[in-house]
């Protein structure tokens, strides 16, 4: 049963709270951010003109392109003297190298931490737990919030960071870790290492696993739960807002509870941009409600989900979203490294301007990108860059590794060997389950 009355508010009370905070956000954006003031002025709107959430629909969406165009501090609503933390996102190559800079005040940092504490608490994590946070912090800076929130909760942290699965298991055993927080891909790697070493769940003291930031698929959940013999939960975050902590599962596993006191959610048809009814899938659009440094109004996340407003069996009344179904764009993730096919093409053509065509073959393990093969086609009458075929392929491999930070297998093939089945933005996904290996 839910003890926090905030989580059991009626829908009317939730909407009232959101409208109060939305008015503050609109005023903050209008008076402190030129971008939003110009938008409102062009519409002939003042913040006080937004009396209902339907009125908010008059505002254009905010996109990732808007964020990159106002690099570095063009969307900040607070002066730099009030900013205590900066977050820099890695941009797609197609954005011409412009990153997104997100700022946080002390209030924002405290809010971010409190949302992660909330996720812990709704899973029953307490100060008696020992949390093992196993992330590559350079790939997922948001993972530091797992640490900060654990300390705020009074739980014990088991240091693990970027060490091998074998050492992770050793720490789990020696420290009696009760909670494992990591990516789905690394959790699968740990499970595979357990099986290879003949270890059993009875050797551990885990009572639950918490995964993010990648979406948690049911096939991944079932695989992990079948080996670890503990429940596996997912959470959700938005890189340009709060990651993690926007939403998280409870013990009922009936969707991810959205922090509606901090975000107003809409779901739209990704093409028509019309709002869809609760229960229908569409693109998640979020508006921040209390962010001081970086308010975002109607931000298109690119994530496809379903919004459910009916109460959860746990007793919480907040809106839930389903685990992310897919993206509206063609973004690919391989072991936590995200990129676009256009990025790969740009890298390949920089290395070889004579490139004719290419395909990406993504091998997945339990729905998670594990390995990438790149098939390239070039004119037969053109000399290879490099003195031999092997040197040419190594040149391409080194370019991909240097720019993306990712190893790839590259083959030079004839045009007829390029795969055509299941093609999506020059990308083919092939499942290796259940014979996959994450080594």
């Amino acid at each position: 049963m839910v003890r926090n009355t905030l989580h059991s508010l009626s829908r009317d009370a939730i909407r009232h709270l959101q409208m109060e905070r939305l008015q503050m956000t609109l005023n903050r954006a209008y008076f402190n951010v030129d971008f939003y003031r110009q938008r409102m002025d062009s519409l002939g709107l003042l913040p006080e003109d937004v009396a209902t959430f339907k009125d908010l629909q008059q505002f254009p969406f905010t996109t990732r392109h808007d964020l990159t165009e106002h690099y570095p501090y063009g969307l900040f609503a607070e002066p730099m003297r009030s900013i205590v933390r900066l977050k820099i996102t890695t941009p797609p190559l197609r954005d011409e190298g412009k990153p997104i800079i997100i700022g946080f005040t002390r209030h924002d940092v405290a809010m971010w931490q409190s949302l992660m504490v909330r996720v812990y608490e709704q899973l029953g994590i307490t100060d008696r737990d020992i949390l093992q946070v196993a992330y590559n912090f350079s790939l997922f800076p948001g993972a530091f919030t797992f640490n900060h929130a654990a300390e705020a909760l009074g739980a014990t942290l088991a240091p693990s960071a970027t060490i091998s699965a074998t050492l992770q298991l050793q720490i789990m055993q020696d420290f009696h870790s009760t909670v494992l927080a990591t990516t789905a891909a690394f959790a699968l790697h740990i499970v595979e290492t357990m099986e290879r070493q003949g270890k059993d769940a009875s050797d551990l003291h885990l009572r639950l696993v918490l995964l993010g930031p990648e979406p948690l698929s049911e096939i991944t959940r079932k695989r992990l739960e079948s080996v670890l013999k503990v429940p596996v939960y997912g959470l959700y975050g938005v890189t340009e807002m709060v990651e993690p902590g926007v939403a998280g599962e409870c013990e009922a596993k009936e969707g991810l509870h959205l922090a509606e006191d901090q975000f107003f959610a809409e779901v739209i048809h990704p093409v028509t941009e019309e709002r869809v009814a609760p229960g229908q899938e569409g693109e998640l659009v979020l508006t921040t409600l209390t962010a001081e440094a970086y308010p975002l109004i109607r931000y298109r996340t690119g994530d496809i989900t379903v919004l459910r407003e009916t109460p959860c069996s746990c007793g919480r009344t907040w809106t839930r979203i389903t685990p992310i179904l897919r993206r509206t764009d063609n973004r690919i993730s391989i072991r936590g490294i995200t990129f676009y096919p256009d990025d790969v093409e740009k890298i390949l053509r920089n290395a070889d301007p004579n490139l004719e065509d290419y395909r990406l073959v993504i091998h997945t393990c339990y729905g998670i990108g594990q390995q990438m093969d790149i098939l390239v086609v070039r004119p037969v009458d053109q000399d290879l860059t490099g003195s031999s075929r092997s040197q040419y392929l190594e040149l391409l491999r080194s370019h991909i590794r240097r720019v993306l930070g990712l190893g790839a297998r590259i083959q030079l093939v004839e045009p007829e060997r390029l795969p055509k089945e299941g093609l999506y933005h020059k990308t083919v996904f092939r499942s290796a389950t259940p014979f996959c290996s994450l080594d």
Side-chain angles (χ1 to χ4, degrees), residues 116-156:
M116 194 62 220
V117 170
R118 184 182 296 174
V119 171
Y120 284 158
E121 290 178 336
Q122 68 191 27
L123 292 176
I125 298 172
T126 71
D127 57 2
R128 298 177 65 86
D129 280 296
I130 300 175
L131 273 71
Q132 186 159 330
V133 182
Y135 282 99
N136 183 329
F137 290 86
S138 62
L139 292 178
F140 179 42
F144 284 106
T145 309
F146 285 85
N147 292 2
H148 300 154
E151 292 170 354
L153 189 64
T156 303

Side-chain angles (χ1 to χ4, degrees), residues 64-65 90-95 100 240 299-303 327-334 337-348 358 360 362 372 374 400 403-404 406 424-427:
R64 185 182 176 90
H65 178 72
T90 303
L93 296 181
R94 62 187 181 187
D95 286 342
I100 295 171
E240 299 78 19
Y299 181 69
R300 294 186 65 163
T301 65
D303 293 322
R327 292 279 302 173
T328 59
D329 56 21
N330 53 353
R331 190 173 71 185
I332 297 168
S333 177
I334 303 288
I337 297 176
T338 58
F339 57 94
Y340 296 82
D342 292 349
D343 294 342
V344 177
E345 180 174 10
K346 187 169 185 177
I347 297 169
L348 294 174
Y358 73 100
L360 308 183
I362 309 299
M372 177 170 66
I374 304 176
I400 294 292
V403 179
L404 295 183
L406 180 70
Y424 181 73
H425 293 284
K426 292 188 179 290
T427 306

Side-chain angles (χ1 to χ4, degrees), residues 97-399:
K98 285 185 179 179
I100 295 171
I101 311 298
I102 301 107
F104 300 89
T105 63
R106 289 188 180 184
H107 163 274
D108 297 332
V109 170
M111 179 268 288
W112 190 358
Q113 178 177 291
S114 70
L115 290 182
M116 194 62 220
V117 170
R118 184 182 296 174
V119 171
Y120 284 158
E121 290 178 336
Q122 68 191 27
L123 292 176
I125 298 172
T126 71
D127 57 2
R128 298 177 65 86
D129 280 296
I130 300 175
L131 273 71
Q132 186 159 330
V133 182
Y135 282 99
N136 183 329
F137 290 86
S138 62
L139 292 178
F140 179 42
F144 284 106
T145 309
F146 285 85
N147 292 2
H148 300 154
E151 292 170 354
L153 189 64
T156 303
L157 276 173
S160 59
T162 54
I163 60 177
S164 68
T166 296
L167 287 176
Q168 295 284 356
L169 287 167
Q170 189 66 51
I171 288 175
M172 256 182 261
Q173 288 180 277
D174 295 346
F175 286 58
H176 291 193
S177 303
T178 58
V179 178
L180 171 65
T182 187
T183 66
F186 196 52
L188 287 169
H189 182 36
I190 290 174
V191 160
E192 187 181 64
T193 302
M194 283 179 60
E195 293 179 327
R196 188 170 58 246
Q197 295 179 353
K199 294 183 182 294
D200 187 81
S202 60
D203 299 326
L204 307 176
H205 297 79
L206 285 180
R207 65 181 194 84
L208 67 91
V209 175
L210 182 57
L211 301 181
E214 309 150 318
L216 174 59
S217 68
E218 285 307 309
I219 188 174
T220 300
R221 193 199 305 265
K222 289 177 181 178
R223 163 68 170 157
L224 295 174
E225 290 183 343
S226 69
V227 177
L228 295 173
K229 310 300 183 186
V230 297
V232 175
Y233 303 101
L235 48 74
Y236 174 72
V238 177
T239 303
E240 299 78 19
M241 292 182 177
V242 173
E243 186 183 35
V246 172
E249 287 189 302
C250 68
E251 293 175 308
K253 297 181 186 175
E254 296 176 3
L256 294 91
H257 292 272
L258 186 72
E260 290 195 275
D261 57 330
Q262 303 296 333
F263 306 96
F264 173 67
E266 306 170 72
V267 173
I268 64 167
H269 190 287
V271 177
T272 68
E273 299 184 347
E274 296 292 327
R275 288 187 67 177
V276 303
Q280 297 181 2
E281 72 173 50
E283 180 182 356
L284 183 64
V285 174
L286 292 175
T287 297
T288 61
L289 296 178
T290 69
E292 291 183 341
Y294 206 75
L296 291 176
I297 302 172
R298 303 196 81 198
Y299 181 69
R300 294 186 65 163
T301 65
D303 293 322
I304 299 294
T305 186
V306 175
L307 206 63
R308 304 193 188 282
E309 293 186 348
T310 54
C312 178
S313 63
C314 73
R316 293 176 177 84
T317 55
W318 288 7
T319 289
R320 290 163 291 137
I321 59 173
T322 62
I324 302 307
L325 304 172
R326 59 186 180 280
R327 292 279 302 173
T328 59
D329 56 21
N330 53 353
R331 190 173 71 185
I332 297 168
S333 177
I334 303 288
R335 301 193 186 188
I337 297 176
T338 58
F339 57 94
Y340 296 82
D342 292 349
D343 294 342
V344 177
E345 180 174 10
K346 187 169 185 177
I347 297 169
L348 294 174
R349 292 195 185 279
N350 284 341
D352 180 7
N354 294 318
L355 183 77
E356 280 189 347
D357 204 355
Y358 73 100
R359 293 289 187 275
L360 308 183
V361 181
I362 309 299
H363 300 278
T364 63
C365 175
Y366 295 98
I368 296 172
Q370 171 201 352
Q371 174 68 43
M372 177 170 66
D373 291 344
I374 304 176
L375 310 182
V376 297
V377 175
R378 67 185 321 278
V380 294
D381 57 347
Q382 296 285 339
D383 291 335
L384 290 170
T385 303
S387 59
S388 67
R389 186 186 185 96
S390 62
Q391 287 183 338
Y392 169 76
L393 294 176
E394 180 53 37
L395 173 70
L396 298 184
R397 277 193 293 269
S398 63
H399 273 67

Side-chain angles (χ1 to χ4, degrees), residues 41-54:
D41 287 345
S42 68
L43 293 168
L45 282 175
L46 292 173
E48 55 264 33
D49 295 328
V50 180
T52 67
F53 290 108
K54 188 173 183 180

